[in-house]
Amino acid sequence: MLGKSIIGMKNFSVEEIRLVLNAARKMKQIIKRGGDKKLSNLRGKAIVNLFYEPSTRTRTSFELAGKYLGADVVSINSGTSSIVKGESLRDTLKTIEAMGVDAIVMRHKAEGAADYATQVVKPMIINAGDGAHAHPSQALLDLFTIEQHKGRLAGLKVAIVGDILHSRVARSDVYAMTKMGMEVHLAGPKTLLPRFFKFDGVKVHEDIEHAITGADVINVLRIQLERQQAGLFPSTREYARAFGINNERLRLAAEDVLILHPGPQNKGLEISSEVTYCERSAIQEQVQNGVAVRMALLDLTLNGGVK
Ligand code: NCD
């Protein structure tokens, strides 16, 4: 994977997914052992985080992942850079390239922005979310979290619930999970489901009950109010009643169902507090796994992995 830009899960092979998951396991040990976490794998490498959309988890975990591996990492916030003066994406990328960086981790509201970046600059590009298109590192950390709990991926039933239409997480999960042999069920209000969706290994439901019955994993998506057009979304009360994940609904799922949510959560809307904090929830653990998976990705692409 050395030198490979990471744009989406569509072009990831099963072998590459395995490489990342195996490397992430080792990285997680390093994070968990405490004490000195600083490795030298990426010493002398420079990484810029370029985020045009808000982020807490993804940006911080990419930053820490780079730092734990010994790279120099700088985060650019669109609100305090020349982006507010109207500098174009192309010019911003060229400016960062001129400073001699090795990788740019990028989040942008436009679908295709990360792929476009690979065409205009030489540093490796890692897509940290482009509009509703893709969010590969999130899909990889979802797989990692599931495998840590279930000991396998193939054959598991996963329900992805909520605002599928606007979700780059759902898109990347669908590619990643079906490649690993999982059975994927998507559920949400009709207006928030993709209209013409045909994908081997994926079923789409307009009600939640069919999707979550017997599910081994439920991935609850955030209702992305910032991406909604008028009329797509029922009232919040109606949504919570019809699709919200609460204790009562969980009874339909497998007894040891694992609850995921990429965060940030709208508590009381797509998920209840009791579910977020219940013992079957791995939401907090996803955050730690996010650092490990991003360390693995950076090490494999910038360094070729542990030799
Ligand atoms: C997701 C994102 O930004 O796509 N969050 C994340 O990266 N943890 C999901 C979301 O914003 O709902």
Side-chain angles (χ1 to χ4, degrees):
M1 290 177 69
L2 189 61
K4 183 182 166 152
S5 285
I6 307 293
I7 305 304
M9 293 310 297
K10 191 176 174 180
N11 298 321
F12 243 80
S13 67
V14 172
E15 292 70 34
E16 286 171 328
I17 294 175
R18 273 278 147 240
L19 269 179
V20 175
L21 299 182
N22 290 343
R25 220 171 298 129
K26 293 178 198 134
M27 297 302 178
K28 186 165 178 175
Q29 293 309 319
I30 294 164
I31 300 170
K32 278 177 67 175
R33 79 179 175 211
D36 188 359
K37 287 188 282 282
K38 194 112 175 162
L39 309 179
S40 57
N41 304 35
L42 298 186
R43 198 169 50 205
K45 304 277 186 202
I47 303 169
V48 165
N49 273 339
L50 177 62
F51 277 60
Y52 284 81
E53 280 193 334
S55 172
T56 301
R57 280 152 280 265
T58 308
R59 193 176 48 147
T60 311
S61 58
F62 265 116
E63 183 164 339
L64 285 175
K67 288 181 170 163
Y68 289 166
L69 291 168
D72 289 312
V73 187
V74 176
S75 288
I76 297 179
N77 181 333
S78 58
T80 54
S81 70
S82 285
I83 293 163
V84 287
K85 300 180 186 166
E87 186 162 52
S88 69
L89 174 58
R90 184 170 197 273
D91 287 349
T92 303
L93 288 165
K94 289 274 186 202
T95 304
I96 296 169
E97 179 180 39
M99 294 183 194
V101 309
D102 300 283
I104 301 173
V105 178
M106 195 176 138
R107 171 170 285 190
H108 198 281
K109 67 176 188 308
E111 282 100 40
D115 189 46
Y116 167 77
T118 63
Q119 290 160 38
V120 295
V121 290
K122 288 202 186 65
M124 231 185 58
I125 304 295
I126 297 190
N127 186 8
D130 60 332
H133 172 236
H135 193 354
S137 62
Q138 180 71 43
L140 289 163
L141 84 85
D142 290 346
L143 289 183
F144 182 71
T145 307
I146 296 166
E147 199 174 51
Q148 289 242 308
H149 279 265
K150 304 283 179 195
R152 67 187 171 112
L153 294 169
L156 295 177
K157 173 174 178 177
V158 56
I160 305 178
V161 179
D163 185 358
I164 311 285
L165 188 63
H166 300 100
S167 177
R168 52 194 175 210
V169 176
R171 268 178 197 74
S172 284
D173 272 350
V174 162
Y175 281 114
M177 290 170 174
T178 51
K179 277 176 207 259
M180 301 315 279
M182 298 176 74
E183 180 190 320
V184 181
H185 293 255
L186 304 177
K190 201 172 175 179
T191 48
L192 296 179
L193 288 171
R195 251 148 286 176
F196 307 102
F197 190 79
K198 253 193 161 330
F199 208 102
D200 280 347
V202 181
K203 287 203 178 71
V204 182
H205 308 266
E206 285 172 28
D207 70 297
I208 190 167
E209 280 73 22
H210 282 101
I212 65 173
T213 298
D216 301 295
V217 181
I218 301 177
N219 192 7
V220 190
L221 300 174
R222 180 174 67 90
I223 294 298
Q224 306 204 9
L225 293 165
E226 78 277 21
R227 291 190 218 278
Q228 307 289 339
Q229 289 147 27
L232 287 186
F233 188 65
S235 73
T236 49
R237 191 154 11 125
E238 213 180 320
Y239 183 86
R241 191 174 45 75
F243 289 94
I245 299 291
N246 50 37
N247 271 348
E248 203 184 321
R249 285 227 153 92
L250 276 196
R251 288 198 206 111
L252 293 170
E255 211 173 309
D256 61 347
V257 64
L258 187 71
I259 306 295
L260 304 178
H261 189 304
Q265 305 166 45
N266 296 304
K267 288 268 178 47
L269 177 52
E270 71 260 5
I271 192 164
S272 69
S273 271
E274 56 202 15
V275 172
T276 293
Y277 298 113
C278 76
E279 54 180 32
R280 289 176 286 183
S281 159
I283 298 173
Q284 202 58 29
E285 205 185 313
Q286 281 176 282
V287 179
Q288 179 171 80
N289 291 342
V291 181
V293 164
R294 288 167 181 131
M295 286 172 81
L297 267 180
L298 291 174
D299 193 39
L300 285 162
T301 53
L302 280 169
N303 183 43
V306 180
K307 299 193 179 82

